[in-house]
Amino acid sequence: MSEKKHRVSRRQFLTYTLTGVGGFMAAGMLSPMVRMALDPALEASGGSDFISVGIGEDELTGEPQRVDFNVEIVDAWHTSEQSQSAWIYKEGDEIVALSPTCTHLGCTVNWDANEDYPGNYFCPCHGGRFEKDGTNIAGTPPTRPLDIYDVEVRDGMVYLGQTNER
Amino acid sequence: MLQKVYDWVDERLDITPLWRDIADHEVPEHVNPAHHFSAFVYCFGGLTFFVVVIQILSGMFLTMYYVPDIINAYESVYYLQNDVTHGMIVRGMHHWGASLVIVMMFLHTLRVFFTGSYKKPRELNWVVGVLLFFVLLGLGFTGYLLPWDMKAYFATVVGLEIAESAPVIGGFAKTLLAGGEIIGAQTLTRFFAIHVFFLPGALLGLLGAHFFMIRKQGISGPL
Amino acid sequence: MHRGKGMKFVGDSRVPAEKKPNIPKDYSEYPGKTEAFWPNFLLREWMVGAVFLVGYLVLTVAHPAPLERVADPTDSGYIPLPDWYFLFLYQLLKYEFAAGPYTVMGAVVIPGIAFGALLLAPWLDKGSERRPLKRPIATSLMLLGFISVFFLTWESVDQHDWEAAAEQGEITDDVDMEVDESAEGYQIFESQDSCIGCHGGDMLGGSSGPNMFESDYDTEEVIEIITNGKGAMPAGQFEGSEEELETLAAFIANDGQSADGGDAEAEEDGSEEEAEEATEE
């Protein structure tokens, strides 16, 4: 390659410097702003706290029972209470708490609600059904099992954490 | 690749003359501080525009969090200031920018005045500039209320009382600005609308006129 | 440039198909020496801008934007202050010739003349001379305006009680203001109508009296103030025995906690709060 090809004209040099300075200014201006806008997306979602649902471990049976409890939702500067529910039963020593939200389109499922399907969770919206352990029954609309809560027992009382997909 | 995309667009829309016109136009050497250091006084106008750009950008980002409502306004400002990463910096940029833009504009006005640059043929540009001055003062005044803290509220009370003391239209002007008899919910939404839509609209229009005239007439010659 | 018949366009659009060679306009006859806007001029301009931006960001990081407590329209004791660039107008309205019956002068006439003159400057100063020294009237009027704005702003800043201003707007921590309502001192306070009248039933300040716990007096000083009055507070308002007065004073001096615990209790409170904060995190 000849030297000529490498020569940068004065005008080109100035243009490069200019875009460099311009880039610096844009970065200096925009980086704090963009970081602020991205904050909700970058914020590590702290695992939600465990909440007492007001039922003792010894009150649970093999039959799923519905518990309702309130969760405090902190939405930036706004705090509100949201009521949630869960279907809880005991499988041997293990406590299973299932979210009642149907994985099809988000209706609320009920245990043993339909006479035709005893021993199933039944969703009234589109007739979706789940086994007792939350597994979706093939041939009905839902495509994955019910979400499951993290469960903890403290002093004999049941505490529920966040829901997890299976 | 990029060149091909450019050529494709250029063939259809003939955009080259548009930017070449701006890029190649000549600027007198006497305003360049690299030639005469005293020419730095000619930078104030550009810096005013730079701060205006920062104000517009930071303001756009601040409205992602801000709520113009007397119950939530303070809460949302407090949240963005203390809980949002870099929220303090962005709010700080907007806060200090409001002061800096006034300082820069003031210096720019003094430069134009003392170099006699407002004289024929540039009278109209001077008038537009003074209108810009008023718009920026108005932006400062309306923006001051938005955080809805003690300082904001009482400064606005005083400001509106001054407006009220004007003869004949005073009471009307105050009610119009405050949106009612008391300074409260309606005042805040009004000031928000004025601060975010009306005055910036006027600002952009006037700035366009200002720049158009500078481009058309060129910068005034050396003294 | 090709004009008229035979001109070719891109499709049926109005964009000419023939590209003109890009020759910059001829600026050689412009008055004075010139240089190109891009990149020569803009580079200098942006370098100044970059230096400015660094200073700006340093300022922003070093001094966060202030935020006072949430607006409370009922707090009539607050001394307002506009943003600094309106201070000159604010100060102008303090002078006799521009206040009271003459507010119109200060609020409308004087600023109106000043800004009107600024707006109409090109027609007030019509001569073709541009050097400041060659047009003494315009220059001196501008200097006069500049000096008066500067002076008024200066006076306003000088007359303002900045410490009080910083204090009155502070975000107060309500937790610290928890009054121990079971304490004996509080019972005594409740029985004193004249105290409640000004300082409010919760002792946190009211129509004309300040928050009792914001000041930092010891028991003796509080007794002194209650018996002899202070500022706008009249003397001898307390109705009750010496003992009760002492209990009440101790209660107030102890920031609304029962007197027995003394400072030890206050410290305990502090550590409890810290513990609470720690668990919240």
Side-chain angles (χ1 to χ4, degrees), chain A residues 9 12 16 23 34 53 81 84 86 96 113 119 124 135 156 163-164 166:
Chain A
S9 74
Q12 257 175 323
Y16 292 153
V34 170
V53 295
E81 288 233 315
Q84 286 188 7
V96 181
T135 319
T163 54
N164 302 309
R166 283 186 289 183

Side-chain angles (χ1 to χ4, degrees), chain B residues 10-221:
Chain B
D10 192 42
E11 188 199 343
R12 283 155 182 78
L13 293 170
D14 201 19
I15 53 176
T16 307
L18 299 179
W19 67 261
R20 282 305 288 260
D21 182 52
I22 292 168
D24 291 342
H25 85 266
E26 301 284 299
V27 179
E29 221 170 51
H30 73 276
V31 304
N32 192 331
H35 296 282
H36 320 271
F37 183 70
S38 64
F40 74 90
V41 293
Y42 285 93
C43 286
F44 294 136
L47 289 178
T48 310
F49 178 63
F50 182 41
V51 187
V52 165
V53 170
I54 292 180
Q55 290 301 88
I56 292 175
L57 285 172
S58 56
M60 278 162 58
F61 279 94
L62 285 174
T63 51
M64 282 187 175
Y65 290 93
Y66 178 74
V67 189
D69 161 63
I70 56 171
I71 296 165
N72 289 308
Y74 180 79
E75 296 297 323
S76 61
V77 173
Y78 190 88
Y79 176 79
L80 90 87
Q81 167 109 349
N82 294 298
D83 293 343
V84 178
T85 314
H86 288 188
M88 191 180 267
I89 294 178
V90 178
R91 180 160 178 260
M93 285 170 88
H94 206 68
H95 173 87
W96 291 112
S99 291
L100 282 174
V101 80
I102 305 269
V103 172
M104 288 301 146
M105 186 175 53
F106 196 64
L107 294 172
H108 176 59
T109 310
L110 288 179
R111 193 281 290 170
V112 173
F113 186 87
F114 285 119
T115 54
S117 306
Y118 56 90
K119 288 169 179 285
K120 189 185 173 189
R122 300 187 173 81
E123 300 98 322
L124 269 182
N125 216 2
W126 169 266
V127 171
V128 170
V130 176
L131 293 179
L132 275 167
F133 197 125
F134 294 155
V135 167
L136 283 177
L137 284 179
L139 280 165
F141 179 65
T142 49
Y144 210 60
L145 177 68
L146 301 185
W148 201 250
D149 62 351
M150 289 297 272
K151 201 197 305 190
Y153 180 82
F154 284 101
T156 306
V157 170
V158 174
L160 288 179
E161 264 164 26
I162 294 176
E164 201 179 9
S165 66
V168 193
I169 56 154
F172 175 72
K174 190 214 159 183
T175 314
L176 186 71
L177 279 172
E181 288 307 307
I182 54 167
I183 293 163
Q186 300 207 67
T187 318
L188 185 56
T189 46
R190 241 156 226 263
F191 272 46
F192 179 75
I194 294 172
H195 184 79
V196 173
F197 295 105
F198 291 82
L199 288 181
L203 181 77
L204 291 178
L206 288 169
L207 268 182
H210 207 61
F211 289 151
F212 171 76
M213 284 190 254
I214 296 170
R215 185 74 177 74
K216 200 82 182 169
Q217 299 175 327
I219 295 171
S220 60

Side-chain angles (χ1 to χ4, degrees), chain C residues 106-124:
Chain C
V108 182
V109 178
I110 296 176
I113 290 174
F115 283 113
L118 192 69
L119 190 67
L120 299 177
W123 292 277
L124 298 175

